[in-house]
């Protein structure tokens, strides 16, 4: 019996082999190397490509089975695989590979210069990957795919598809993997998708899908992974989702889902709890409490509910998820206590993120956790004393307990766990005592960064007693004193960002800082440093920020500062620096902020500031001893947003070309202080952590702008000796928010169309010699909240209406004796209703000009006539005699007439007097 069965098997195998050979050798299709028609199809495909002579160079000869990317069946010779990914083929083609009738595997991915406008595949295809191939004009893609009943995997990522399409009947029901990531569908999820019942992996990420997730999702009962991150899906998650008994990964982050999740994940009867390992719901609008029975999801490895609106306490059952590796509940509205019971059995946990909640950690100091954490994020929680359970965590790499209400010193054992820490943030607490010491970073990576942020605490003591080995070190706003270590370059040779601002450090700026060639940001502001600025900055080619403001530095600005071609921000304000601005600073072509205010600089403001520093956005030199006129070259600074020349001894007029400040006129914000486009991520982090700030006198007080600096547009020329009129061109700066021209010698009228400064919030023209009336258009300044026109020579009725109704302080107009109307005394009946010279459609400057020409012309005409008459009389004797004779006759007649009239009046007066006495 056994022998008979073996014979039958051998006979069947022989028949199959003979059939295959027959098929292989049949007719003209067999040429001894590969199927002729298939070779022709491949040649035709190659010829459709751009620069086809250089594309696919191995595609020559008769044997197509030897061509790169082509795989043939060993028995039949048919092409079964075509893999051309990363081959740089390009062109705009019609892909017709129907003649490759046995093709099973086609991969043209990662050829972004290849565009396909129509598709036709053999029905034998099982795997198709067109990732990063442009299909934006291929409207029939779905119909082409629907003709592939054997298709198992379809990859269409980054194809710029915009039409999802529809089919009445789905034929590719064998599909197991569908990846449509990062296209442009902007539609609802199509209903046909829920009919592919054998689907195991579905990727819909980043497609702008909108609408809700259908309850028909339960039809996909083979689904193991669903990724719909980064869309605009909304509504509730359907409860039918919990019927997907094979679902392992669920990604629904970065959508607009809302409502509670207890119906889906709080239902004990759902089978999803037995399979789910990854649950990502971050960055949605979910609310309600976290389901109590999440502890039943025993297979969970990653759980992320961050950036939602969950409220209430964290269920203790979370502590039973012994497979959990990542737990992220950050940035919600959770409250209540977190004890060791919440973490009791999380033996696999390596990331714990609870930051951005109102949680209170109440953990027994003697408790020993069952896990070793690498990531700990507890920012804005109430941690209390420095957590003792951290002493057992030897693998910490990222520790963030900023703003965590920690009032304690850092324990000595912290040094023992510091060797693996690459990022530490303990800022905004009440930590006191000496600074911690860090062991040398234990890392296998050559360029590993270490970030240490300890700002805004109460650390005291000396820097010389601490070791950091940091790339970014921020200890600003503490109580540190003593000197900056002279060997700082040896302590931190890889330092990129050093911020020691707002402490009590004294001594000089160490010249050894110039040896740290990696240094990008140096902030030593608001200390008690003295002496000269070192002149050694020539080697620091990466330096982008220098902030030495608010110290006691003296002497000249060193020429070597001009060698920092990457410098973006230079703050030297509020010191005792003197001399002239060094010409070497003209090399700082990337400079955006230059603040030299509150020093003793003298001389003229250099014209090269406008010629060379074209990127400048902030120029502040107020409170110095600068003299001379404003250089017209400043008008070249099209990006300028803040100009402060106040409190110097400058003279001359305000340039008309100030109207050329494009950024102010256009109210530009795009790209302002955009320091984050640098490819180096550590640079972006460092730049973001430095707070650019500028002092501006606005609304009658001195304010410091930092976070909101990018939204400020200001011109301050106050406290100088500028003369002349306010330029009409300034009225073109529609984005201007603060204009201060006070305490100068400006004359003329306030521009009639000052209402064009539509964004103006603060206007100070006080203590000048302005005359005329207040323009009626000033009432159009709807955002005006501070106004000072005092101590000028203004007259007429004060305009009313709109925002001016709220500015009712008499001090605004004091020192202008000719003004009347609220809030001053009422005007007389003959006062003009509209300020004279500012009627609608007229301009003060035009009227004044016409009057000047009129009177000037009349005077010149009179003078010319007078000289002409006198010349004639001088040269013609007969005319002269006749003229003076006429004058004598007229004079005599007038004299007689006046004398007679005088005697008549006198006699009448005497007669009346006598009659009165009688």
């Amino acid at each position: 019996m056994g022998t008979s069965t073996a014979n039958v098997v051998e006979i069947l195998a022989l028949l199959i082999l003979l059939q295959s050979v027959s098929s292989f050798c049949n007719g003209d299709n067999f040429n001894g190397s590969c199927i002729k028609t298939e070779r022709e199809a491949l040649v035709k495909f190659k010829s459709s490509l751009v620069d086809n002579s250089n594309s696919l160079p191995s595609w020559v000869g008769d044997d197509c089975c030897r061509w790169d990317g082509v795989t043939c069946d060993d028995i039949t010779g048919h092409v079964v695989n075509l893999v051309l990914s990363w081959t740089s083929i390009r062109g705009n083609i019609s892909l017709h590979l129907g003649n490759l009738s046995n093709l099973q595997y086609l991969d043209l991915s990662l050829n972004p210069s290849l565009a396909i406008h129509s598709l036709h595949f053999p029905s034998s295809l099982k795997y198709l990957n067109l990732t990063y191939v442009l299909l934006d004009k291929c409207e029939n893609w779905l119909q082409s795919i629907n003709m592939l009943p054997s298709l198992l995997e379809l990859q269409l990522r980054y194809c710029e598809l915009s039409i999802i399409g529809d089919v009445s009947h789905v034929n590719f029901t064998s599909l197991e993997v569908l990846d449509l990531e990062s296209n442009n569908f902007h539609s609802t999820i199509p209903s046909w998708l829920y009919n592919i019942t054998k689907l195991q992996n579905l990727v819909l990420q980043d497609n702008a899908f909108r609408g809700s997730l259908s309850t028909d999702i339960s039809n996909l009962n083979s689904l193991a992974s669903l990724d719909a991150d980064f869309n605009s899906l909304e509504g509730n998650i359907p409860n039918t989702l919990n019927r997907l008994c094979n679902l392992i990964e669920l990604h629904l982050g970065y959508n607009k889902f809302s409502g509670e999740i207890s119906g889906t994940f709080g239902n004990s009867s759902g089978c999803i709890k037995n399979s789910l390992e990854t649950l990502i719901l971050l960055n949605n609008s979910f609310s309600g409490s976290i389901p109590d029975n999440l502890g039943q999801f025993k297979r969970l490895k990653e759980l992320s509910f961050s950036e939602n609106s969950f409220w209430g306490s964290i269920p203790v059952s979370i502590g039973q998820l012994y497979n959990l590796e990542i737990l992220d509940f950050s940035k919600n509205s959770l409250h209540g206590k977190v004890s060791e019971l919440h973490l009791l059995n999380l033996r696999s946990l390596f990331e714990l993120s609870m930051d951005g909640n109102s949680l209170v950690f109440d953990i027994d100091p003697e408790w020993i956790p069952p896990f070793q954490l690498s990531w700990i994020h507890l920012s804005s929680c109430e941690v209390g004393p420095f957590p003792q359970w951290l002493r057992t965590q030897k693998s910490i790499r990222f520790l963030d307990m900023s703003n965590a209400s920690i009032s304690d010193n850092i324990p000595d054992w912290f040094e023992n766990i510091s060797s693996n820490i690459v990022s530490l943030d303990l800022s905004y607490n009440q930590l006191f005592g000496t600074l911690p010491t860090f062991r040398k970073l234990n890392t296998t990576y050559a360029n590993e960064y270490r970030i240490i942020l300890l700002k805004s605490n109460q650390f005291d003591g000396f820097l010389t007693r601490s070791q950091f080995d940091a790339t970014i070190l921020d200890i600003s706003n503490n109580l540190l004193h003593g000197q900056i270590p002279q060997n700082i370059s040896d302590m931190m040779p890889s330092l990129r960002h050093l911020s020691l601002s707002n402490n009590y450090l004294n001594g000089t700026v160490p010249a050894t800082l110039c040896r740290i060639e990696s240094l990008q940001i140096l902030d030593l502001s608001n200390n008690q440093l003295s002496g000269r600025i070192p002149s050694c900055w020539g080697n620091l080619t990466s330096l982008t920020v220098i902030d030495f403001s608010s110290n006691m530095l003296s002497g000249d600005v060193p020429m070597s500062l001009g060698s920092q071609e990457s410098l973006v921000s230079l703050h030297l304000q509020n010191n005792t620096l003197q001399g002239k601005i060094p010409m070497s600073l003209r090399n700082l072509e990337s400079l955006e902020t230059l603040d030299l205010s509150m020093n003793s600089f003298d001389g003229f403001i250099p014209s090269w500031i406008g010629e060379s520093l074209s990127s400048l956005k902030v120029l502040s030199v107020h409170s110095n001893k600068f003299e001379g006129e404003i250089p017209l070259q400043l008008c070249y600074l099209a990006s300028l947003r803040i100009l402060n020349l106040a409190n110097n001894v400058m003279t001359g007029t305000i340039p008309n070309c100030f109207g050329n400040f494009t950024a102010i006129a256009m109210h530009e914000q795009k790209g302002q202080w955009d320091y984050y486009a640098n490819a180096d991520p550590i640079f972006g982090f460092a730049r973001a952590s430095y707070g650019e700030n500028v002092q501006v006198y606005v609304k009658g007080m001195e304010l410091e702008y930092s976070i909101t600096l990018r939204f400020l547009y200001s011109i301050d020329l106050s406290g100088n000796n500028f003369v002349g009129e306010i330029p009409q061109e300034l009225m073109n700066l529609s984005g201007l928010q603060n204009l201060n021209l006070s305490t100068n010698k400006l004359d003329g009228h306030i521009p009639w169309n000052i209402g064009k400064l539509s964004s103006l919030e603060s206007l100070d023209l006080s203590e000048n010699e302005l005359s005329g009336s207040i323009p009626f258009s000033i009432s159009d300044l709807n955002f005006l909240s501070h106004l000072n026109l005092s101590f000028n020579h203004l007259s007429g009725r004060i305009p009313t209406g709109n925002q001016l109704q709220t500015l009712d302080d008499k001090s605004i107009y004091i020192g202008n004796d000719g003004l009347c109307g609220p809030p001053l005394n009422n005007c007389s009946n003959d006062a003009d209703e509209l300020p004279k010279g500012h009627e609608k459609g007229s301009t003060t400057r035009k009227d004044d000009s016409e009057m000047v020409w009129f009177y000037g012309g009349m005077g010149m005409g009179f003078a010319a006539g007078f000289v002409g008459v006198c010349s004639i009389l001088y040269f013609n004797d007969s005319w002269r005699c006749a003229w003076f004779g006429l004058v004598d006759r007229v004079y005599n007649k007038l004299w007689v007439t006046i004398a007679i009239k005088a005697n008549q009046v006198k006699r009448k007066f005497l007669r009346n007097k006598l009659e009165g006495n009688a």
Side-chain angles (χ1 to χ4, degrees):
M1 182 69 179
T3 303
S4 175
T5 302
N7 291 337
V8 171
V9 172
E10 291 175 358
I11 293 171
L12 289 174
L14 182 60
L15 290 173
I16 293 173
L17 179 59
L18 290 173
Q19 184 179 8
S20 299
V21 172
S22 174
S23 174
F24 183 62
C25 301
N26 185 32
D28 295 332
N29 290 333
F30 179 69
N31 62 9
S33 54
C34 68
I35 308 302
K36 181 179 179 181
T37 54
E38 296 181 355
R39 179 184 179 279
E40 291 173 350
L42 293 174
V43 170
K44 184 177 180 181
F45 166 72
K46 178 183 177 180
S47 65
S48 67
L49 301 174
V50 174
D51 193 19
N52 56 72
S53 60
N54 293 319
S55 300
L56 307 173
S58 70
W59 283 30
V60 293
D62 294 333
D63 191 358
C64 63
C65 296
R66 295 180 179 273
W67 295 354
D68 288 344
V70 180
T71 303
C72 298
D73 187 278
D74 292 336
I75 298 175
T76 65
H78 285 291
V79 175
V80 291
N81 291 354
L82 181 57
V83 180
L84 299 177
S85 60
W86 279 114
T87 53
S88 300
I89 56 176
R90 54 197 180 95
N92 191 342
I93 66 171
S94 176
L95 187 63
H96 292 276
L97 299 176
N99 288 337
L100 302 179
S101 57
N102 289 271
L103 189 65
Q104 298 180 15
Y105 193 105
L106 176 59
D107 187 351
L108 302 179
S109 64
L110 303 173
N111 288 295
S113 297
L114 181 64
I116 302 174
H117 53 78
S118 66
L119 300 168
H120 180 65
F121 304 109
S123 59
S124 59
L125 205 60
K126 294 182 179 180
Y127 176 94
L128 175 60
N129 190 347
L130 298 178
T131 297
Y132 274 110
V133 174
L134 299 182
L135 301 176
D136 59 322
K137 296 182 180 179
C138 186
E139 299 181 1
N140 70 330
W141 73 270
L142 181 60
Q143 286 71 24
S144 301
I145 300 300
N146 200 34
M147 299 173 65
L148 304 176
S150 302
L151 194 64
L152 299 176
E153 183 169 346
L154 176 61
Q155 300 275 354
L156 295 177
R157 295 184 294 161
Y158 298 94
C159 293
E160 297 192 12
L161 289 166
S162 57
I163 299 176
I164 189 68
D166 196 11
V167 290
S168 57
H169 179 72
V170 176
N171 292 320
F172 48 103
T173 55
S174 299
L175 197 64
E176 297 176 353
V177 177
L178 176 59
D179 191 342
L180 300 175
E181 179 185 347
S182 297
N183 285 285
N184 303 309
F185 292 124
H186 292 274
S187 66
T188 58
I189 297 176
S191 58
W192 55 260
L193 193 146
Y194 299 111
N195 295 325
I196 312 175
T197 56
K198 293 185 179 180
L199 206 58
Q200 297 177 14
N201 294 298
L202 176 59
V203 181
L204 305 176
Q205 182 186 127
D206 191 21
N207 275 293
F209 279 122
R210 59 180 185 268
S212 60
L213 194 61
S214 172
T215 56
D216 292 338
I217 190 72
S218 60
N219 295 342
L220 307 180
N221 49 30
S222 298
L223 201 62
S225 175
L226 171 59
D227 187 348
D229 287 344
F230 298 100
N231 283 288
S232 297
L233 298 171
E234 57 190 5
N236 295 320
I237 297 178
N239 294 343
T240 54
L241 193 70
N242 63 19
R243 302 176 190 171
L244 300 180
C245 302
N246 296 301
L247 194 63
I248 297 174
E249 295 187 9
L250 179 59
H251 297 259
L252 299 178
Y254 299 95
N255 278 282
K256 299 178 181 179
F257 288 113
S258 58
E260 299 189 6
I261 63 171
S262 55
T264 306
F265 303 106
N267 189 341
S268 300
S269 62
C271 61
I272 191 175
K273 65 178 182 293
N274 299 321
S275 61
L276 200 61
E277 296 181 4
T278 300
L279 178 55
I280 308 295
L281 303 181
L282 78 157
N283 207 312
N284 280 281
S285 299
F286 291 115
S287 58
S289 58
I290 296 174
D292 288 332
N293 66 337
L294 267 184
Q296 297 180 15
F297 288 67
K298 301 294 186 182
R299 300 175 68 96
L300 269 180
K301 294 182 179 180
E302 182 174 359
L303 180 59
S304 178
F305 289 174
S306 65
E307 298 180 68
N308 281 282
S309 299
F310 289 112
W311 49 265
S313 58
I314 297 175
V316 177
S317 65
I318 294 291
Q320 304 304 314
L321 300 176
Y322 49 81
N323 286 309
L324 198 63
E325 298 174 354
I326 299 174
L327 176 58
D328 188 354
F329 287 163
S330 61
K331 298 177 179 64
N332 280 282
S333 299
L334 300 171
H335 57 82
K337 289 186 176 182
V338 176
S339 69
E340 58 270 23
L341 294 177
H342 292 85
L343 310 171
L344 190 60
N345 293 315
L346 304 184
R347 62 195 182 200
S348 302
L349 196 68
F350 67 82
E351 179 179 338
L352 175 63
S353 297
M354 301 282 191
D355 53 292
N357 289 287
S358 299
L359 298 168
V360 178
F361 277 74
D362 184 16
I363 296 177
D364 188 340
E366 303 299 323
W367 179 64
I368 299 177
F371 45 70
Q372 284 291 320
L373 296 177
S374 294
W375 298 64
I376 303 175
H377 297 278
L378 303 179
S379 173
S380 299
C381 295
E382 187 175 330
V383 175
F386 204 90
Q388 292 296 311
W389 59 271
L390 288 179
R391 70 187 185 277
T392 65
Q393 304 300 299
K394 308 295 185 182
S395 303
I396 300 177
R397 292 179 57 79
F398 299 89
L399 176 58
D400 183 357
M401 294 193 298
S402 59
N403 191 29
S405 303
I406 304 176
S407 181
D408 202 348
N409 59 6
I410 296 182
D412 294 336
W413 52 257
F414 182 79
E415 182 181 353
N416 299 330
I417 67 170
S418 66
S419 60
N420 290 309
I421 295 179
V422 296
S423 178
L424 173 69
D425 191 351
L426 299 177
S427 305
Y428 304 105
N429 284 291
Q430 293 84 46
L431 291 165
F432 53 83
T434 58
L435 292 167
T437 297
F438 288 77
R439 291 184 178 176
K440 187 174 179 60
L441 185 60
N442 179 22
T443 179
T444 57
Y445 302 102
N447 297 314
E448 186 82 79
Y449 303 128
R450 172 175 273 182
I451 300 170
I452 299 176
L453 306 178
L454 302 174
K455 61 183 177 181
S456 299
N457 280 285
Q458 299 172 17
F459 290 114
D460 56 17
F462 300 91
L463 278 174
T464 52
R465 297 177 182 175
S466 302
Q467 295 290 332
F468 298 103
D469 187 27
T471 306
I472 294 178
L473 178 62
D474 189 344
I475 323 178
S476 60
N477 198 20
N478 277 282
L479 307 174
L480 301 174
H481 54 273
Q483 298 186 5
I484 301 173
Q486 292 296 320
N487 65 337
I488 190 168
S489 59
D490 298 324
M491 295 170 58
M492 293 174 284
S494 301
L495 194 63
R496 298 197 179 191
H497 177 179
L498 176 63
S499 180
L500 303 176
S501 63
N502 290 286
N503 280 285
Y504 297 93
L505 299 172
N506 54 36
T508 60
V509 177
T512 51
L513 284 169
C514 299
R515 300 177 187 172
I516 308 175
E517 296 183 3
S518 58
L519 196 61
Q520 296 176 350
I521 295 176
L522 178 59
D523 185 1
L524 306 180
S525 61
N526 288 284
N527 279 285
Q528 298 172 2
L529 300 172
S530 58
R532 289 177 172 269
I533 299 174
S535 56
C536 59
W537 305 98
N539 295 326
L540 304 185
T541 56
S542 300
L543 203 57
T544 59
V545 174
I546 295 177
D547 193 342
F548 292 159
S549 62
S550 299
N551 280 284
M552 297 180 289
L553 299 172
S554 58
D556 298 332
V557 176
M559 295 286 290
S560 61
L561 277 181
S563 62
Q564 309 305 309
E565 295 183 0
S566 299
L567 202 64
V568 174
S569 181
L570 177 59
H571 287 268
L572 301 178
Q573 70 268 24
N574 196 18
N575 281 283
T576 56
L577 298 169
Q578 59 189 24
K580 295 176 174 54
I581 301 176
M583 185 174 292
S584 63
L585 296 189
R586 71 184 306 168
N587 299 323
L588 306 179
E589 296 181 357
S590 300
L591 199 66
E592 298 185 4
T593 299
L594 176 60
D595 195 339
L596 306 177
S597 59
M598 293 181 284
N599 280 286
S600 297
F601 292 113
D602 55 25
F604 300 106
I605 294 179
S607 60
W608 52 256
I609 290 180
E611 294 170 340
S612 301
L613 308 184
S614 58
S615 299
L616 210 59
K617 296 177 175 64
V618 175
L619 175 59
S620 181
V621 295
H622 73 85
S623 306
N624 279 283
K625 300 177 182 178
F626 289 112
E627 57 186 339
E629 298 187 0
I630 299 175
L632 296 179
Q633 289 83 354
L634 291 187
C635 300
Y636 299 159
L637 299 174
S639 299
L640 197 68
R641 304 169 73 249
I642 298 173
L643 175 63
N644 195 340
L645 308 180
N647 299 316
N648 283 283
V649 287
M650 300 183 68
T651 57
T653 60
I654 301 174
N656 295 337
C657 59
F658 270 17
N660 296 342
F661 293 145
T662 307
I664 303 178
M666 302 300 293
H667 210 165
E668 291 180 357
Q669 293 180 5
K670 181 179 179 181
Q672 301 299 328
W673 288 284
D674 186 13
Y675 302 118
Y676 313 111
N678 194 287
D680 185 353
I682 199 71
F683 175 84
F685 183 93
R687 195 63 189 86
S689 63
Y690 171 74
E692 186 78 51
N693 65 89
V694 173
Q695 298 273 351
V696 180
Y697 192 83
V698 60
K699 299 184 180 180
M701 64 188 77
E702 190 172 51
L703 301 176
E704 180 175 303
Y705 286 80
S706 54
I707 296 175
T708 57
L709 182 60
R710 65 175 61 239
F711 304 111
L712 178 64
Y713 302 84
S714 172
I715 295 178
D716 189 346
L717 308 179
S718 62
N720 283 283
N721 296 310
F722 294 123
V723 298
E725 297 187 357
I726 300 173
Q728 184 72 31
E729 289 77 8
L730 280 181
M731 304 305 106
N732 296 328
L733 304 179
S734 60
L736 193 64
Q737 296 163 312
N738 176 46
L739 178 60
N740 190 345
L741 305 179
S742 65
T743 321
N744 280 287
K745 298 178 181 179
L746 300 173
D747 55 24
H749 295 295
I750 300 173
W752 68 273
N753 56 347
I754 195 170
K756 289 177 62 179
L757 299 178
S758 55
S759 300
L760 204 62
E761 299 177 16
S762 178
L763 175 62
D764 193 342
L765 304 178
S766 63
E767 298 186 58
N768 279 286
E769 299 176 9
L770 299 172
S771 60
S773 50
I774 301 173
F776 194 74
S777 68
I778 200 170
S779 62
D780 295 334
L781 301 177
N782 294 325
F783 298 102
L784 194 66
S785 58
H786 177 80
L787 176 64
N788 192 349
L789 303 178
S790 62
F791 298 103
N792 280 283
H793 306 299
L794 300 172
S795 59
R797 185 184 298 274
I798 296 173
T800 58
N802 298 332
Q803 190 70 6
L804 288 181
Q805 298 293 103
T806 65
L807 302 174
D808 55 359
D809 189 342
K810 292 182 179 181
S811 65
I812 295 174
Y813 307 103
I814 194 172
N816 293 281
D817 295 337
L819 288 177
C820 62
L824 303 180
N825 297 328
N826 291 331
C827 296
S828 60
N829 293 332
D830 59 348
D832 295 331
E833 283 298 319
L834 288 176
K836 192 172 182 179
H838 296 87
E839 290 84 356
K840 184 177 180 181
S842 68
T843 69
T844 302
R845 214 172 257 189
K846 182 178 179 181
D847 291 345
D848 289 348
S849 177
E850 290 176 351
M851 294 298 292
V852 168
W853 280 105
F854 174 78
Y855 288 116
M858 184 176 66
M860 292 177 62
F862 176 81
F866 180 77
V867 170
V869 170
C870 291
S871 298
I872 292 174
L873 295 177
Y874 180 80
F875 290 106
N876 193 319
D877 293 337
S878 60
W879 283 36
R880 183 168 63 253
C881 293
W883 167 256
F884 286 116
L886 176 63
V887 169
D888 287 339
R889 288 193 298 272
V890 171
Y891 174 78
N892 292 331
K893 186 173 182 179
L894 287 173
W895 171 252
V896 171
T897 303
I898 292 172
I900 293 172
K901 289 292 183 183
N903 287 329
Q904 290 177 349
V905 171
K906 185 176 181 180
R907 286 196 300 270
K908 185 177 180 179
F909 174 77
L910 291 174
R911 185 169 57 250
N912 291 338
K913 184 177 181 181
L914 291 173
E915 291 175 354
N917 292 332

